[in-house]
Amino acid sequence: MISGLNRLVDLVEEHLTAEFDVDGLARALGTTEYHLRRMFSSLAGMPLSEYVRRRRMTVAAAAVVRGDDDLLSIAVRHGYGSTEAFGRAFRAVHGAGPGDVRRDGGPLRTQPQIRFRLTVEGSIPMDTRIVDRPTFRLVGHAARVPLIHRGVNPHIQSLITALPPEEHVRLKALSDTEPAGLLQVSDGVDPDGTEGSPLTYLHGVAVSGATPAPHDLHAIDVPAGRWAVFRTAGPHPQALQETWAATATEWFPSNPWRLRPGPSIVAILDRADDFSTATCELWLPVEPA
């Protein structure tokens, strides 16, 4: 996986002025574009698309400063059809327009080429199990919310707190299969994991595939497959988010599994009254790598 990510970085460098085939590289590496993008964003701390944009603007800035070509030629060479579109992208990365940078020599915010190296400490074992599950359904209250990587997502918090206590009791009574209890479900997540990108969040429970969903609840049908289940305990949501990150930095690189498309599920097994601490299970859909 690590060598594959470095090959992806090399591919970016080889095609800084053109589009490139991420799916073709993934197939050549024996993996999927979905998994490759998810692992890149988790380990690099930015989506692949954002890294490509920053690298292209880093190289473009050198051409702007040199002054050998006009701005339109530089824009077209880097995939932009006009100086206006190029200028917007350039300013988003560098904080100044290409004309200003050509005149003043800066400011420039360069993106170094990323290299991935695997360091597995192994000092903190991850409590993990692999589970085969038949088709099941997730039913509950759903909303479209933006992806937020760190801290409490206020959009999700607003959805949950708006539900009366008796609704939580009702949902728990509907649960008849694993994952057990009240669930926090994220579905339709951007493979690049872009901060602010939309996803479907569902607060609800799991029921067997044949169980009909009440008419006033949303439903997500989940096909049969394997799941990696990670148990976590501690300050909430920090402990859960740290475990989520560790799946990318430690678990997937050292285990023969890869992510497959599907919802990610958090089961709350136990929690403090104020939700300051919690014991959770993180369910991620996986397949053999």
Side-chain angles (χ1 to χ4, degrees), residues 136-185:
F136 63 95
R137 309 184 85 188
L138 297 162
V139 299
H141 298 272
R144 294 288 283 175
V145 302
L147 175 63
I148 295 177
H149 289 295
R150 294 290 180 185
V152 175
N153 188 317
H155 307 276
I156 292 175
Q157 192 68 19
S158 177
L159 171 66
I160 296 173
T161 55
L163 298 175
E166 57 268 23
E167 184 61 13
H168 294 280
V169 175
R170 175 199 175 204
L171 289 172
K172 286 182 180 179
L174 291 173
S175 176
D176 64 6
T177 190
E178 278 199 305
L182 283 175
L183 309 175
Q184 300 174 351
V185 180

Side-chain angles (χ1 to χ4, degrees), residues 225-289:
R226 284 177 173 165
W227 299 77
V229 184
F230 304 88
R231 190 181 181 94
T232 179
H236 190 77
Q238 293 92 337
L240 175 63
Q241 291 171 338
E242 288 170 2
T243 296
W244 206 314
T247 65
T249 58
E250 298 182 30
W251 195 82
F252 280 109
S254 55
N255 285 276
W257 301 95
R258 68 187 178 204
L259 284 166
R260 59 181 173 85
S264 55
I265 304 171
V266 175
I268 308 298
L269 305 181
D270 189 27
R271 67 177 181 88
D273 291 339
D274 62 356
F275 230 137
S276 59
T277 62
T279 300
C280 308
E281 283 187 340
L282 170 62
W283 290 60
L284 297 179
V286 298
E287 61 187 8

Side-chain angles (χ1 to χ4, degrees), residues 1-11 25 29-31 35-44 113-121 245-258 289:
M1 191 69 253
I2 297 300
S3 62
L5 288 170
N6 284 325
R7 179 69 190 100
L8 177 58
V9 170
D10 293 339
L11 191 67
L25 173 63
L29 295 171
T31 187
H35 182 72
L36 200 60
R37 286 183 178 273
R38 287 289 297 269
M39 289 299 98
F40 183 96
S41 62
S42 297
L43 293 172
Q113 184 177 343
I114 286 176
R115 300 308 295 176
F116 293 95
R117 294 179 177 84
L118 175 60
T119 301
V120 180
E121 297 292 343
T247 65
T249 58
E250 298 182 30
W251 195 82
F252 280 109
S254 55
N255 285 276
W257 301 95
R258 68 187 178 204

